[in-house]
Amino acid sequence: MARAITEEEYRALAGFRQELREFLSFSETAAQDAGLTPQQHQALLAIRAAPKAVLIGELARQLALRPNSVTGLVDRLAKQGLVERRETEGDRRRVPVSLTSRGEELIENLADAHRGELRRIRPLLANLLLRI
């Protein structure tokens, strides 16, 4: 039988969840300030993190979206000049997507801001995790 959760653990869990929500709020605001939706930001980050051009199907899996939704998302990012497709014959889900130089610059700036925020809250998160 699992031991009961202590009052301190409840406070730590609540604090950790609050910090996660505040980080997500920071992230959403940073994306919006850069002219992106949070979903577009996540897509750019996933594309940048991939070792090579990412396929629509793989991007859909990473974003937990349907491939047709990701196709529309990629279309909007391409219209902004942030990503490019390498068109191939056949299945649109097999189209490699990569960042343009403009997309690279934008995601680098956002990643730098996020890294700074995570470094700022790291001690607090670590402390909360130790208390759980």
Side-chain angles (χ1 to χ4, degrees), residues 52-58 67 71 85-97:
K52 58 184 179 179
V54 66
L55 300 176
I56 294 288
E58 175 59 20
T71 298
R85 286 189 169 108
R86 288 191 223 120
E87 295 294 335
T88 58
E89 302 249 347
D91 191 349
R92 283 188 66 173
R93 294 171 297 174
R94 304 274 324 149
V95 176
V97 178

Side-chain angles (χ1 to χ4, degrees), residues 24-132:
L24 289 176
S25 178
F26 163 86
S27 182
E28 290 170 3
T29 299
Q32 291 165 351
D33 289 349
L36 299 173
T37 66
Q39 195 172 61
Q40 289 172 325
H41 172 222
Q42 186 64 35
L44 291 178
L45 188 58
I47 294 166
R48 176 59 183 87
K52 58 184 179 179
V54 66
L55 300 176
I56 294 288
E58 175 59 20
L59 189 56
R61 188 189 66 71
Q62 288 183 29
L63 299 175
L65 296 171
R66 300 180 88 174
N68 62 331
S69 296
V70 173
T71 298
L73 178 62
V74 168
D75 288 344
R76 291 185 293 281
L77 289 169
K79 282 183 184 176
Q80 294 179 49
L82 301 173
V83 301
E84 60 188 2
R85 286 189 169 108
R86 288 191 223 120
E87 295 294 335
T88 58
E89 302 249 347
D91 191 349
R92 283 188 66 173
R93 294 171 297 174
R94 304 274 324 149
V95 176
V97 178
S98 58
L99 297 178
T100 62
S101 58
R102 184 168 176 238
E104 285 272 356
E105 182 180 339
L106 183 62
I107 198 61
E108 183 176 346
N109 290 335
L110 280 167
D112 186 50
H114 282 72
R115 179 179 57 189
E117 180 65 7
L118 285 169
R119 285 179 175 167
R120 184 188 72 75
I121 66 173
R122 177 178 24 202
L124 177 58
L125 293 176
N127 183 0
L128 288 167
L129 285 171
L130 288 172
R131 293 171 34 205
I132 295 174

